[in-house]
Every structure is written in structure tokens, then in C-alpha cells.
Amino acid sequence: MRVKIPGWEIVVICSALLFPFTSLCAQEADQPFIHRLGIEARPQYVFPTNPFLQGENERWKPIQSSFAAHLKYSFKYRPNTCADRIYGGAYQGFGLAFTTFGDKKQLGDPMTFYVFQGARIARFHPRLSLNYEWNFGISARWQPYDNDYNSYNGAVGSRVNAYLNAGIYLNWSLSRYFDFIIGGDFTHFSNGNTKFPNAGVNTTGAKIGLVYNFNREEADLTKSLVHPYVPRFPRHISYDLVLFGSWRRKGVYVGEKQIASPGSYPVAGFNFAPMYNLNYKLRFGISLDGVYDGSANVYTEDALVEYDAGSGSSRRKFLVPGIQHQLALGLSGRAEYVMPFFTIGVGLGTNVLGRGDLRGLYQVFALKINVTRNSFLHIGYNLQNFQTPNYLMLGLGFRFNNKYPKVRH
């Protein structure tokens, strides 16, 4: 019997990505933006990070390549404006991608919806620049592991997976309307430990595309002799409070074999972070991090085995310890890169209070999507010891004592 992913999971995550973005666009509709539509081709090499991709699969052939086609809408600040000078020609939007790995039966041909943002790293000429871009979204239509129908697939455990991408590229303005882009990127697909297995798929390769600029003017392609005035940034300390929750599957080693838990466990927590706002694009601070992880320190005992009448086979029983083994309190250093609408954050910390699985270093990667001036959606991921996936962090955040100036475009 095939396991179906509940539709509400897709709706919740897509809404979290799209609703704040579209509402913010509406708020800024009276500002002078350049609207753009782009297409991209991305041929990719697949890293052989697990036996399934290395060739231990139904076809006994390694899965080494993929190809993705992208359709993207974005808007950007006009050149020679205050916002363009501060944020380096930042642009943001949403995209839709179709990916194939040449093995639809075992991996599927996923469709991906994502938000993205990019900006200029260096300008060599008014028409030529080196840019970066990140993508973050949700990818569906995978063929996941199934004990009866797809038992070799140890890379993908769910039909819906998170999508992360980052790259750099050259942007060449061919004319008033068209830009040509060429560069490279890195992509990661995984389910954030919400399903098991979760080895994930990683790719790298080229990106080649063409962008049409609907309302760009010839003057936007020339270097202005007048630089707009940028207001002095008021350095200050703001306070971010984040409340988050998610769910996760757990794998427990019994000897050399890892056994998956029969169900999911809840996760809930908070972050409280005083952040020093250094300038328009950088803030850093220290965060107090509390978490309840319902999967922490679950274990099995060889003597405790249940009989599954449905399948006619034995099944190992997972035992849950007391709540004191599932709570942790930690401190982490945080740094954030602030851009219009989105903030990217990283953190490195250790649990001061915690037992067993909750000991050791942890790392946090987070995307904050502005909803209002003092509130944001929080989509994060927690790792342990730089390698072990922990849990997703889906939540809502509030910012206090926010003195960040309003940028006039």
C-alpha cells in the first residue's frame, strides 16, 4: 500500500512561501520597480552521496545527471535609486521548475515552486555584472521509498521535499528588454527529517537563461553621474522572538542497522535573540533557544517486540522516555544578512541543558519572510554536529525595538 502525503502539508508550506511575498508586493506597488520574466535551463551533476544513487537500485545503474527547466517572475529596484545603492540591485520573485533525473519510476519527475532573491556582487560595466541568487521552496511528485514498490530508494522518503538552491552567474544586458545569464549553482532536496529515509539528493551544474524586462528604460542601462542620498543607519539593538513547531521521523540504530520509527513525533520551541543591527544589511547577536523534541532519546529494546497482525511479521517497539529527556535549553551565536522582504540567518550553539540526543553542538539555518514591519514568518532547519539532520522550524516571529529605517526607493 502506498503512503500518501496529506494535502494540508503542501497547502501550509506553499502559503507560508507565497502569501507574505504577494502581500508585500502589494504594499510596495506604488514604488518604481522593473518587472521581469525569465526562463532558465539547468543541466546538473548528481552527487553519489548514497548507495541508491551510486547504482544499488532497480536498474543497477548510477544516477549521475538531472535537468531542470525554470519559469520565473521577479521585480527589482530601478538602477540609480537609494534602494539599488544599498542592496546592490536586489530582485525577488517566485518560480516554477520541472526536474527530471531520467528515472521516473524510482525518483519521479518533481515539480518545484519556490521564492528567490538575488543581487549584485560586482559590476564590471553598466551592462555586465556578477550576481548571486538563492532559491527556496517545496518540491512535489517524487517517487519515495516504499517497502513493496520502491525498496531500493534510500535517498528520498517522501513525495514532497524541501528545495534549496544557491549560485552565482554573469548577467549581461543585451538590450533594453533582454538579459542573458550564465553561471553555476548547487541544489539540495530533502524532507527535513519529516519522513524516513532522508538521505536527500544534491546536485551541481550550470544555469543558462534569458530574462525579459517589461518596463526597463534605456536610461537604466547607463551609469548615472548623480548618486542618490543614503540616510545614515541608526545602529541599535532589536529583539526577535520566534515560536516554532514541526514534526519529524526518527531512526534508531540497532547494531549496524537503522530502524525507522512507526510514526512522527512533535517538535516545538522558541528563540529569543537580542540582535545588534550594524548596518542596512547585517545584524548579529546571541539567542536563547528552547526546544521540546518528542523524538529525543527514543529507544528500542531487543526483548520488546510486537506482532503486526496486518503484515504477519514482527515489529520492533519504540519506547519514549520521560519529558525531562526531551527538553533542552541552549545558547547560540547568530548572524543575519538583511535584504528587502527576506532575511537569511545562521546560528551555531550548544545546549546548556539537555540529555542524550540533545547534547552537543547544533546549527541553525533560517529564512525570515517579512509580513509586517515587526513580524515575520520563520522557516528554519536545525542540524546537530554539522551533519545529523534534526528538525524543521516552522513558525512566526516578532521584532521589538525595531529602528530599521524605511528606505525610499
Side-chain angles (χ1 to χ4, degrees):
M1 180 178 181
R2 296 182 181 272
V3 178
K4 294 185 178 181
I5 299 297
W8 64 266
E9 295 183 9
I10 303 176
V11 172
V12 168
I13 299 177
C14 284
S15 299
L17 291 173
L18 184 58
F19 176 74
F21 171 78
T22 53
S23 65
L24 283 167
C25 290
Q27 293 173 17
E28 300 290 345
D30 60 335
Q31 303 297 343
F33 294 112
I34 297 174
H35 298 272
R36 317 186 319 156
L37 189 65
I39 55 174
E40 287 180 13
R42 300 185 187 179
Q44 303 278 290
Y45 166 75
V46 179
F47 289 102
T49 52
N50 55 74
F52 171 74
L53 299 175
Q54 293 166 5
E56 294 184 19
N57 52 52
E58 188 177 275
R59 299 193 305 165
W60 292 105
K61 292 182 179 180
I63 299 173
Q64 298 178 318
S65 62
S66 69
F67 179 83
H70 292 248
L71 178 65
K72 303 163 66 176
Y73 162 78
S74 63
F75 65 96
K76 66 177 296 183
Y77 301 106
R78 288 193 179 277
N80 309 319
T81 61
C82 178
D84 174 76
R85 187 176 176 188
I86 292 173
Y87 299 115
Y91 62 91
Q92 45 277 313
F94 55 88
L96 186 66
F98 168 81
T99 304
T100 180
F101 295 89
D103 195 334
K104 184 176 182 179
K105 182 180 179 181
Q106 294 189 96
L107 271 179
D109 291 331
M111 295 286 292
T112 303
F113 172 78
Y114 59 93
V115 295
F116 64 91
Q117 186 172 65
R120 185 172 58 245
I121 298 173
R123 174 181 281 165
F124 310 113
H125 183 273
R127 290 177 179 261
L128 181 65
S129 64
L130 178 67
N131 293 9
Y132 75 85
E133 182 181 298
W134 58 260
N135 305 169
F136 178 79
I138 186 168
S139 182
R141 291 177 49 185
W142 291 83
Q143 288 293 342
Y145 169 85
D146 185 282
N147 190 54
D148 298 320
Y149 301 101
N150 199 11
S151 60
Y152 288 103
N153 187 354
V156 178
S158 58
R159 296 188 183 278
V160 178
N161 290 278
Y163 162 78
L164 298 139
N165 173 275
I168 59 173
Y169 66 93
L170 289 171
N171 187 97
W172 180 20
S173 298
L174 301 174
S175 68
R176 171 183 170 183
Y177 294 107
F178 288 100
D179 291 349
F180 174 73
I181 67 170
I182 183 169
D185 64 355
F186 172 84
T187 301
H188 172 70
F189 295 99
S190 72
N191 61 43
N193 237 25
T194 58
K195 294 289 181 179
F196 191 89
N198 184 38
V201 177
N202 300 302
T203 70
T204 188
K207 56 185 293 181
I208 304 168
L210 199 64
V211 179
Y212 180 80
N213 297 269
F214 287 94
N215 58 330
R216 189 163 66 183
E217 305 293 338
E218 286 290 347
D220 295 327
L221 299 175
T222 61
K223 186 176 181 179
S224 176
L225 298 176
V226 179
H227 293 292
Y229 169 72
V230 177
R232 178 179 175 273
F233 185 85
R235 295 183 177 182
H236 63 284
I237 296 177
S238 59
Y239 304 88
D240 282 10
L241 174 64
V242 174
L243 305 175
F244 67 85
S246 67
W247 65 101
R248 66 173 298 189
R249 291 290 295 275
K250 185 75 171 184
V252 173
Y253 278 99
V254 178
E256 296 182 356
K257 185 178 180 181
Q258 194 175 36
I259 299 176
S261 63
S264 299
Y265 298 91
V267 176
F270 73 90
N271 307 138
F272 179 71
M275 302 292 290
Y276 180 67
N277 294 253
L278 180 64
N279 53 40
Y280 280 100
K281 297 200 292 185
L282 182 64
R283 64 170 69 108
F284 56 88
I286 297 176
S287 177
L288 177 66
D289 307 320
V291 66
Y292 163 74
D293 182 354
S295 72
N297 297 306
V298 297
Y299 62 99
T300 63
E301 290 184 359
D302 292 338
L304 295 177
V305 178
E306 290 183 330
Y307 184 80
D308 189 346
S311 63
S313 61
S314 62
R315 184 179 60 176
R316 192 175 299 272
K317 183 177 181 180
F318 275 61
L319 304 177
V320 179
I323 192 172
Q324 70 272 18
H325 296 275
Q326 299 179 314
L327 295 172
L329 190 66
L331 290 173
S332 61
R334 299 294 182 101
E336 294 185 346
Y337 182 63
V338 183
M339 292 293 279
F341 311 117
F342 302 103
T343 297
I344 298 174
V346 295
L348 174 62
T350 184
N351 283 321
V352 180
L353 301 175
R355 302 181 182 185
D357 294 347
L358 298 174
R359 293 176 180 172
L361 295 175
Y362 60 87
Q363 299 76 48
V364 176
F365 301 90
L367 174 67
K368 296 178 178 179
I369 307 173
N370 295 342
V371 178
T372 67
R373 176 172 171 80
N374 296 310
S375 66
F376 53 87
L377 289 182
H378 179 279
I379 304 175
Y381 196 40
N382 185 290
L383 295 172
Q384 187 175 37
N385 297 324
F386 297 98
Q387 59 181 356
T388 305
N390 264 350
Y391 46 80
L392 287 171
M393 305 166 68
L394 308 175
L396 183 63
F398 304 92
R399 182 164 297 124
F400 303 96
N401 195 42
N402 183 15
K403 298 180 181 179
Y404 196 95
K406 293 183 178 179
V407 178
R408 300 301 176 184
H409 308 294

